[in-house]
Amino acid sequence: MLADLIRFCLVLVFAGALAACQDQAPETTETPPAETAESEEAETDNSGDDAAQGKDMTEAENDRMGLEEAISAARKDLAERSGVDADDIGVIKARAVTWPNGALGCPEEGMMYTQALVEGFHILLDDGEAEHAYHAGRDGKPFFCPAERSQPPTNSDEDKPLS
């Protein structure tokens, strides 16, 4: 008898908790009709969305920066940093590489990185005074990596021709 009473009470508590969960609706805020129409339009307008335009991953990869573009961007950045004309900056080595992780061969102390191989570029430039390393990931956009942090890639494709 006592066991039946306990079961009955537990069923009532469980049913009450379940009903309470169903009664809770997310809070909503009223927005003027004009704003609602604009936000709905923005949400449904996927004209810039690769998937909406039927692009697949292969086509999206074609949008990434190539080696020649990466070299040009790195030379431009070094020219701004050093004050040397971009045409006077030499390319020591530029190649497609595989970085061992998301640090792209330029880890910052105290940071954590994805532990997966990342395709990218390794570019070494000379401004007449020193060598400067530029690293890039999947997007191909190079960034300056100070010599004290620059690490070699795990492997690389054949060195690419520079012109």
Side-chain angles (χ1 to χ4, degrees), residues 22-47:
Q22 291 177 351
D23 289 341
Q24 293 179 354
E27 291 184 28
T28 58
T29 57
E30 293 291 323
T31 56
E35 288 182 25
T36 303
E38 289 174 13
S39 65
E40 287 175 3
E41 186 176 304
E43 289 177 20
T44 58
D45 179 20
N46 293 327
S47 61

Side-chain angles (χ1 to χ4, degrees), residues 99-107 112-118 137-138 143:
W99 298 109
N101 56 43
L104 305 177
C106 194
M112 295 179 67
Y113 299 96
T114 57
Q115 298 302 306
L117 299 176
V118 179
R138 284 187 175 92
F143 63 92

